[in-house]
Amino acid sequence: MKANASTLGSAQIIDGKATALAIREELKVSAKRLTELGAKPGLAVVLVGEDPASQVYVRNKDRAAEAAGFDVHTIRLPEETTQAKLLAEIHSLNDNPDVHGILVQLPLPKGGDLNERETVRAISPDKDVDGLHPENVARLVMGERGFVPCTPAGCIELLDRYEIPIEGKHAVVIGRSMLVGKPIAQLLLARNATVSMCHSRTADLASMCRQADIIVAAVGVAGLVRGDWIQPGAAVLDVGINRGEDGKLCGDVVFDEVRQRAGALTPVPGGVGPMTIAMLLRNTAISAARAAGVEL
Ligand code: NAP
């Protein structure tokens, strides 16, 4: 079903906020059904330390999960928590049948012996709703059932809900992080796009983008993607979250230029961003359904 869209310039503006809200409403229904089956989705969020941004992210995830009718287990650990203590918490969540999704808020505090890679590896791959465990990375590459990182999953969901075709299209992904660039490229490839991955050493980024039917910008550089880089009618997903010179949030794309040429475009804020929590909840509901042996 096509989500609500508004038109500004020539591009259709992809409304990630409304799409995410619609998904969260759908998940309420799923959570109710799972609860009736004795499998109420449970999300555990582990926060170590007092980082203000992490606290806001965790609060938003908790609120969204509760609003969708999930059980939320928030584990707040002090800054000086040791790796051994953190691993013990994760093992206990792995063993807890009421917990279907485990998320450790990153980054972990620096200065102690905390190790992010080891921490992510300790999460059971079947509860790794962030899709960051190496087992889930391998499953994604191998085309096997697993969990896909939430922001890339949200990008594909937006393309699908706006009925933007992927198969046979040339997708240019800018950025090659494990969190966004690499998984989105794998997802597009799995949907039979021809994928070009670009990064800071790409020789001529503008000419790569000019050949794209779909552009995913996941860089973190305000104003990188210009209007004359866009093939008329291309779909542009702006994942970047930056502060512009005016102090306002902005993406990697020069919005006012790109919207004149693109066929569809996500704004920042209100585009890809809100989809991340919706996909986290969906992964948790999928995990609860799998544990109960039912289809979502
Ligand atoms: P990251 O780990 O810093 O990766 C950035 C990537 O961009 C790297 O692969 C880098 O290339 C590439 N890059 C840097 N400068 C470039 C340039 N001038 N031209 C082309 N490529 C360039 O960042 P990330 O975690 O993937 O996040 C990317 C952006 O998405 C950030 O703004 C972040 O805040 C945002 N984000 C949003 C959400 C959300 O909406 N929910 C979620 C996650 C991230 P090299 O590999 O060559 O260094």
Side-chain angles (χ1 to χ4, degrees):
M1 193 181 72
K2 227 170 187 172
N4 285 339
S6 56
T7 306
L8 261 176
S10 60
Q12 180 182 36
I13 303 304
I14 295 176
D15 189 342
K17 198 171 166 191
T19 308
L21 280 174
I23 292 168
R24 285 163 59 171
E25 285 303 314
E26 292 160 21
L27 286 169
K28 265 189 205 170
V29 178
S30 304
K32 189 163 177 285
R33 194 167 69 86
L34 286 165
T35 304
E36 285 161 6
L37 292 168
K40 185 174 186 184
L43 174 66
V45 181
V46 181
L47 173 62
V48 187
E50 307 286 329
D51 178 64
S54 292
Q55 292 196 17
V56 172
Y57 293 142
V58 166
R59 200 178 319 127
N60 288 343
K61 287 166 188 170
D62 287 358
R63 282 185 187 156
E66 270 168 17
F70 292 24
D71 266 341
V72 183
H73 311 249
T74 311
I75 291 106
R76 292 174 193 277
L77 299 172
E79 185 104 13
E80 57 277 10
T81 299
T82 61
Q83 182 71 3
K85 166 76 178 144
L86 179 56
L87 293 184
E89 286 289 348
I90 291 171
H91 292 145
S92 138
L93 294 170
N94 284 342
D95 293 340
N96 184 344
D98 295 334
V99 171
H100 304 100
I102 303 171
L103 179 152
V104 178
Q105 185 65 42
L106 301 177
L108 293 173
K110 309 273 181 282
D113 71 340
L114 295 177
N115 178 320
E116 285 183 1
R117 284 198 177 194
E118 191 187 22
T119 301
V120 169
R121 278 174 194 266
I123 298 170
S124 161
D126 294 334
K127 296 188 179 187
D128 168 41
V129 284
D130 247 352
L132 298 178
H133 191 289
E135 176 74 31
N136 280 316
V137 176
R139 288 179 190 171
L140 174 60
V141 175
M142 295 168 80
E144 292 179 5
R145 192 182 85 166
F147 287 113
V148 173
C150 301
T151 303
C155 289
I156 297 292
E157 190 72 25
L158 285 175
L159 292 174
D160 284 346
R161 292 203 179 217
Y162 277 79
E163 297 173 12
I164 295 167
I166 302 174
E167 181 159 330
K169 301 297 178 188
H170 181 205
V172 169
V173 177
I174 320 173
R176 55 176 165 178
S177 71
M178 290 303 298
L179 190 63
V180 193
K182 283 181 181 150
I184 185 77
Q186 285 295 337
L187 288 169
L188 290 163
L189 189 61
R191 294 285 296 273
N192 298 318
T194 302
V195 181
S196 299
M197 290 201 69
C198 299
H199 44 77
S200 66
R201 317 288 171 87
T202 296
D204 188 349
L205 188 58
S207 78
M208 289 303 303
C209 288
R210 287 189 189 110
Q211 299 166 46
D213 303 303
I214 298 168
I215 296 175
V216 182
V219 180
V221 174
L224 180 71
V225 179
R226 309 301 306 244
D228 65 354
W229 294 18
I230 308 300
Q231 184 174 197
V236 181
L237 301 183
D238 191 355
V239 182
I241 303 177
N242 312 296
R243 288 261 167 220
E245 284 169 4
D246 56 4
K248 289 187 183 160
L249 276 190
C250 65
D252 294 338
V253 161
V254 183
F255 184 84
D256 287 336
E257 290 180 12
V258 170
R259 75 179 189 198
Q260 304 301 331
R261 289 171 69 101
L265 171 62
T266 59
V268 178
V272 173
M275 294 296 287
T276 301
I277 289 182
M279 295 296 103
L280 173 72
L281 299 183
R282 191 169 74 179
N283 279 350
T284 306
I286 289 171
S287 180
R290 284 178 189 164
V294 296
E295 288 287 318
L296 194 62

